[in-house]
Amino acid sequence: MEHRTYSYTSRVPEDHFHFTIAFPELFRRRVMAVSQSTRTFSAKRKKKAWSQRSTVKSHMANAALPQTLAVRFQDFQKQLPGGETSMDNLLDALRTTKTDFKRLPGFDPNVDEDEYHRAQQCIDCDEVFPRVYIGDGRSRLKKQFCASRLTAKNKEYLLRIGITHVLNAAEGKAFGMVNTDSNYYKDTNVKYLGLQIKDRLSMDISQYFYTAASFIQDACASGGRVFVHCVQGVSRSATCVIAYLMIKKAMLAKDAIRTVRLSREIGPNEGFLRQLAHLDNQLRRQRM
């Protein structure tokens, strides 16, 4: 190949210089330099990757992961006798359990007076477990004179049946919520806990399971009585009480549901049932 030689002269008068460039040779050197740089970079990346893998393996071998994570991983691997609890299992427990008729707490069935009967129509409350009550549905007959009242706001009635703690599982001002707070009961000795739970399939109610369970347990352990409510006393409040029975009374989910269902018509939504099933599997593994 014929090499062409070019000469360049600076335009600065006192600084004339010449240099010669052979284009094919310059191109070859640049290609070799880039190739060498690429190989060096690739080798460094591989060395770093292998170093990181070795570090991770070393940590795992030396049990460097947090102990709680290791325990949870082992619990997850445990096989449960009878298989995993599913939402369908809990739905079946709801459907096959019939609610027994129970008289309203705090009322004497032998009193036969119109005002007395009318007062009962404005109350929705059932004792579902010793010292644990669920309620706050709209009035049972939805009469005009009491349709706007909620049992949770009837402080006179709550005090009559010995309520010392109130758990509002639907605290809030929006539709489908109950607008009470600790200030509402400040003229009484009632202890209050408000949870802003919406009755939706996508709602993460599990984040409140242990908080609700501890509050209910404290009420019962102190010799008091706790009234757990939402708007209808069917889904949110029932789910909190079921979680309490599972966590504090070591009941299986299906047994806790049947216990509450025997005393009150309840119906947690499917999203809540799915989370109760997950809690049941967790607790069963922990108790193995």
Side-chain angles (χ1 to χ4, degrees), residues 189-201:
N189 291 324
V190 170
K191 294 183 180 179
Y192 174 87
L193 173 65
L195 303 177
Q196 298 180 1
I197 304 172
K198 296 181 179 179
D199 192 15
R200 297 177 180 173
L201 297 178

Side-chain angles (χ1 to χ4, degrees), residues 9-270:
T9 304
S10 173
R11 294 183 180 179
V12 180
E14 290 82 9
D15 188 28
H16 293 283
F17 65 92
H18 302 273
F19 64 91
T20 302
I21 302 177
F23 278 99
E25 179 64 19
L26 178 62
F27 178 76
R28 186 182 67 81
R29 291 180 181 179
R30 288 185 177 179
V31 170
M32 291 181 63
V34 171
S35 178
Q36 180 63 29
S37 177
T38 302
R39 287 196 298 270
T40 303
F41 178 72
S42 179
K44 288 182 178 179
R45 287 184 63 183
K46 288 181 180 180
K47 184 177 180 180
K48 183 177 181 181
W50 279 109
S51 177
Q52 291 175 343
R53 290 178 186 177
S54 300
T55 302
V56 172
K57 289 182 179 180
S58 176
H59 280 300
M60 293 180 67
N62 296 325
L65 292 174
Q67 185 176 2
T68 54
L69 291 178
V71 171
R72 289 179 183 177
F73 182 72
Q74 292 175 2
D75 288 343
F76 182 77
Q77 291 181 314
K78 291 180 181 178
Q79 297 296 324
L80 293 174
E84 302 278 325
T85 303
S86 67
M87 181 191 68
D88 290 336
N89 298 144
L90 305 189
L91 277 173
D92 185 64
L94 277 173
R95 293 166 181 163
T96 57
T97 306
K98 295 183 178 181
T99 303
D100 297 332
F101 172 78
K102 294 180 68 175
R103 298 186 182 278
L104 281 173
F107 288 95
D108 186 352
N110 297 319
V111 177
D112 188 13
E113 298 177 0
D114 291 341
E115 287 296 326
Y116 201 72
H117 290 300
R118 186 176 300 171
Q120 294 180 54
Q121 295 172 4
C122 296
I123 298 298
D124 183 10
C125 178
D126 295 291
E127 187 175 14
V128 298
F129 195 74
R131 298 184 176 276
V132 181
Y133 300 76
I134 294 180
D136 213 322
R138 301 288 179 179
S139 60
R140 295 185 176 185
L141 299 183
K142 298 184 185 294
K143 294 287 186 178
Q144 184 177 1
F145 64 84
C146 64
S148 62
R149 296 183 62 187
L150 297 172
T151 309
K153 293 186 176 181
N154 192 334
K155 291 181 281 188
E156 179 183 353
Y157 171 74
L158 296 179
L159 294 177
R160 184 200 305 176
I161 64 175
I163 297 298
T164 59
H165 295 65
V166 171
L167 194 167
N168 180 358
E171 185 186 64
K173 299 180 180 180
F175 178 78
M177 311 295 277
V178 181
N179 185 20
T180 59
D181 54 24
S182 57
N183 289 329
Y184 185 82
Y185 301 97
K186 65 181 181 180
D187 57 340
T188 69
N189 291 324
V190 170
K191 294 183 180 179
Y192 174 87
L193 173 65
L195 303 177
Q196 298 180 1
I197 304 172
K198 296 181 179 179
D199 192 15
R200 297 177 180 173
L201 297 178
S202 60
M203 178 70 200
D204 180 14
I205 195 173
S206 65
Q207 62 183 305
Y208 301 110
F209 282 166
Y210 284 87
T211 301
S214 296
F215 184 78
I216 297 172
Q217 176 70 7
D218 290 344
C220 297
S222 63
R225 298 180 179 182
V226 57
F227 181 72
V228 186
H229 74 89
C230 47
V231 174
Q232 296 293 337
V234 172
S235 183
R236 288 167 283 189
S237 54
T239 301
C240 289
V241 173
I242 292 168
Y244 155 72
L245 295 176
M246 294 169 61
I247 296 170
K248 298 299 183 180
K249 299 302 178 181
M251 288 190 186
L252 296 176
K254 60 182 181 180
D255 294 333
I257 287 175
R258 288 172 180 151
T259 298
V260 178
R261 177 78 164 175
L262 283 172
S263 300
R264 182 176 179 82
E265 292 282 353
I266 61 169
N269 70 51
E270 291 187 1

